[in-house]
């Protein structure tokens, strides 16, 4: 549902409610006022008729009463007239025979009338003495027709007023939503990146203020879009430069890789040569050692036997002196002479038994 249609329906609904309340109050007031006026009118007629017929009733002039009844029945609103004495005897009557046959029952207002006749009565009193009663029936057709006409006229007025409200609401909705349409068009243009589109601003109302704010926003978006494009251009240039640098660096790394591969191959060849040289040197040393050992076996064995004789002498001496050494150590320990004990230990260490044992 569009905003214009909502505006029309909303205004029409509010107007209909207010107008219905107004018409209802007016009709109720008119009905109450009509009821009051009608009752007053009926009372005036009955009072006037009672005053007119008072002399004839006092003189018991029935001919005059019939004449008065004929005269009052010339009024189209009077449906029947009945004159009774104090004993409820009918002195004279005229009008609608069907209504005259019904039992008389006075009405208090026209709202409760079912037969279309307002029944009223008036007592004939002279010097505080009751001489009779007049009973009248007044038709409510004209009043009911007037109320009906007023209701119909109110309905016509209401329909006409609603039609006018709809037309004016349409005009108002069109006027109010005109700039909203412009805003919608402007929003579509901005979605297409057309930041040069501007809304024509007329007036100083809230919609005009909104249109001005929208134009300011468009300007800000244009500046932002320009800055974004400049940044994108700068980023593209940086990307191109970065790609060139990456390509250059990749080329340098490739060259370095080739150089490293060549150096590695050279190093590998050199290592192989050194390994081969070390092998040959080791073989030469082994051959020299074997030759040396083969050439000097007696000297080797003789030299080791001399060392063995020296070691045996040290063992024999230590075996012979061990009891005395142990005894001396115990003696020095009792005396607390650490110097002599250290000297004996040093003597033992000088013989280097650990090396001999190994």
């Amino acid at each position: 549902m569009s905003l214009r249609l909502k505006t029309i329906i909303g205004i029409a609904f509010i107007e209909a409610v207010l107008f219905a309340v107004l018409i209802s109050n007016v009709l109720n007031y008119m009905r109450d006022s009509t009821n009051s006026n009608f009752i007053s009118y009926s009372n005036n007629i009955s009072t006037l008729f009672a005053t007119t017929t008072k002399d004839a009733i006092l003189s018991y002039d029935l001919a005059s009463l019939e004449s008065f009844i004929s005269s009052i029945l010339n009024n189209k609103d009077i449906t029947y007239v009945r004159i009774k004495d104090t004993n409820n005897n009918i002195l004279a009557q005229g009008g609608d025979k069907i209504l005259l046959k019904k039992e008389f029952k006075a009405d208090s207002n026209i709202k409760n009338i079912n037969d279309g006749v307002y029944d009223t009565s008036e007592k004939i009193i002279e010097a505080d003495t009751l001489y009779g009663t007049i009973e009248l029936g007044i038709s409510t057709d004209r009043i009911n027709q007037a109320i009906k006409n007023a209701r119909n006229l109110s309905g016509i007025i209401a329909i006409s007023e609603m039609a006018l409200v709809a037309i004016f609401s349409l005009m108002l909705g069109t006027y109010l939503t005109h700039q909203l349409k412009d805003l919608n068009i402007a929003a579509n243009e901005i979605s297409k990146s057309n930041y040069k589109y501007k809304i024509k601003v007329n007036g100083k109302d809230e919609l005009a203020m909104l249109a001005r704010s929208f134009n300011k926003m468009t300007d800000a978006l244009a500046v932002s879009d320009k800055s974004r494009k400049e940044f994108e251009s700068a980023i593209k240039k940086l990307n191109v430069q970065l790609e060139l640098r990456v390509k250059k660096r990749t080329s340098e790394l490739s060259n370095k890789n080739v150089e490293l591969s060549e150096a590695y191959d050279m190093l590998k060849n050199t290592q192989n040569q050194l390994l081969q040289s070390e092998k040959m040197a080791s073989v030469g040393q082994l051959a020299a050692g074997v030759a040396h050992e083969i050439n000097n076996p007696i000297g080797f064995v003789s030299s080791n036997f001399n060392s063995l004789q020296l070691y045996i002498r040290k063992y024999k001496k230590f075996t012979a002196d061990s009891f005395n050494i142990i005894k001396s150590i115990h003696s020095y320990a009792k005396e607390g002479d650490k110097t002599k004990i250290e000297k004996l230990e040093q003597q033992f260490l000088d013989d280097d038994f650990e090396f001999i044992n190994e």
Side-chain angles (χ1 to χ4, degrees):
M1 187 180 293
S2 64
L3 180 60
R4 181 173 63 179
L5 184 57
K6 289 180 181 179
T7 302
I8 294 171
I9 294 175
I11 294 175
F13 177 75
I14 294 171
E15 187 68 22
V17 172
L18 295 177
F19 201 70
V21 172
L22 177 62
I23 290 176
S24 177
N25 291 332
V26 169
L27 289 176
N28 289 333
Y29 173 77
M30 186 178 66
R31 189 180 293 108
D32 294 339
S33 177
T34 302
N35 181 56
S36 177
N37 293 333
F38 183 79
I39 292 174
S40 177
Y41 167 73
S42 301
N43 292 334
N44 290 334
I45 290 177
S46 59
T47 301
L48 181 61
F49 189 69
T51 302
T52 303
T53 59
K54 183 185 297 183
D55 293 336
I57 292 174
L58 292 175
S59 63
Y60 210 72
D61 188 357
L62 298 180
S64 297
L65 292 177
E66 293 290 342
S67 176
F68 291 149
I69 290 175
S70 297
S71 296
I72 199 172
L73 288 175
N74 289 328
N75 187 341
K76 295 181 179 180
D77 292 332
I78 307 300
T79 56
Y80 72 92
V81 180
R82 184 187 292 118
I83 302 173
K84 294 181 178 180
D85 59 13
T86 55
N87 296 320
N88 269 342
N89 295 318
I90 299 174
L91 301 178
Q93 64 179 7
D96 193 330
K97 296 180 180 180
I98 296 175
L99 295 175
L100 290 172
K101 292 179 180 179
K102 291 182 178 180
E103 181 182 357
F104 178 82
K105 185 178 180 180
D107 296 319
S108 59
N109 56 61
I110 62 175
K111 294 180 180 179
N112 299 325
I113 296 175
N114 297 322
D115 55 0
V117 177
Y118 179 78
D119 300 308
T120 184
S121 64
E122 184 68 25
K123 294 179 179 180
I124 303 173
I125 299 173
E126 180 65 26
D128 296 331
T129 302
L130 178 64
Y131 292 98
T133 304
I134 295 173
E135 296 177 352
L136 289 173
I138 302 174
S139 175
T140 59
D141 291 341
R142 281 203 306 165
I143 294 175
N144 291 333
Q145 186 64 37
I147 294 174
K148 183 179 179 181
N149 292 337
R151 189 182 296 111
N152 293 335
L153 181 61
S154 298
I156 293 171
I157 293 173
I159 293 172
S160 302
E161 191 270 343
M162 291 298 294
L164 291 174
V165 167
I167 293 172
F168 288 126
S169 299
L170 178 61
M171 295 172 62
L172 179 61
T174 303
Y175 172 74
L176 293 176
T177 57
H178 176 69
Q179 286 190 331
L180 292 178
K181 288 183 178 179
D182 292 339
L183 286 171
N184 187 26
I185 295 172
N188 291 330
E189 291 295 329
I190 289 176
S191 65
K192 298 175 184 177
S193 300
N194 183 14
Y195 300 111
K196 295 181 179 180
Y197 187 87
K198 300 293 180 183
I199 301 175
K200 294 181 180 180
V201 181
N202 296 320
K204 297 182 180 180
D205 57 3
E206 288 79 1
L207 290 175
M209 293 173 63
L210 179 61
R212 292 190 183 94
S213 300
F214 193 89
N215 289 334
K216 290 181 181 179
M217 183 191 70
T218 304
D219 294 336
L221 287 174
V223 173
S224 177
D225 184 67
K226 183 178 179 181
S227 300
R228 181 181 59 81
K229 289 181 179 179
E230 291 176 354
F231 286 138
E232 287 180 353
S233 178
I235 290 172
K236 287 180 180 179
K237 290 180 181 179
L238 289 174
N239 286 335
V240 172
Q241 293 177 2
L242 182 61
E243 288 179 357
L244 293 175
R245 289 182 182 180
V246 169
K247 288 181 180 179
K248 182 178 178 181
R249 187 63 178 170
T250 303
S251 178
E252 291 176 355
L253 290 174
S254 298
N255 295 330
K256 292 292 183 181
N257 191 26
V258 172
E259 292 177 0
L260 286 173
S261 297
E262 293 177 354
Y264 176 74
D265 292 338
M266 292 176 63
L267 182 62
K268 191 174 181 180
N269 293 329
T270 303
Q271 185 179 9
N272 292 331
Q273 292 177 1
L274 289 173
L275 183 61
Q276 187 67 27
S277 298
E278 288 180 357
K279 288 180 179 180
M280 295 302 294
S282 297
V283 171
Q285 289 179 355
L286 179 62
V290 170
H292 176 75
E293 294 299 330
I294 292 174
N295 291 328
N296 301 290
I298 301 300
F300 177 79
V301 173
S302 177
S303 175
N304 281 279
F305 272 122
N306 291 330
S307 298
L308 183 59
Q309 288 176 355
L310 180 61
Y311 297 158
I312 291 171
R313 288 192 209 103
K314 288 185 178 183
Y315 270 115
K316 287 179 178 181
K317 182 182 178 182
F318 177 76
T319 304
D321 296 339
S322 61
F323 178 77
N324 293 327
I325 292 171
I326 294 171
K327 185 178 179 181
S328 297
I329 290 173
H330 283 289
S331 177
Y332 295 152
K334 290 179 180 180
E335 294 175 359
D337 193 348
K338 293 183 179 181
T339 305
K340 292 180 179 181
I341 294 173
E342 292 177 354
K343 186 175 180 181
L344 289 174
E345 290 178 352
Q346 186 64 39
Q347 182 181 352
F348 177 76
L349 292 173
D350 290 340
D351 290 334
D352 201 4
F353 282 104
E354 290 184 3
F355 175 75
I356 294 171
N357 289 334
E358 291 178 0

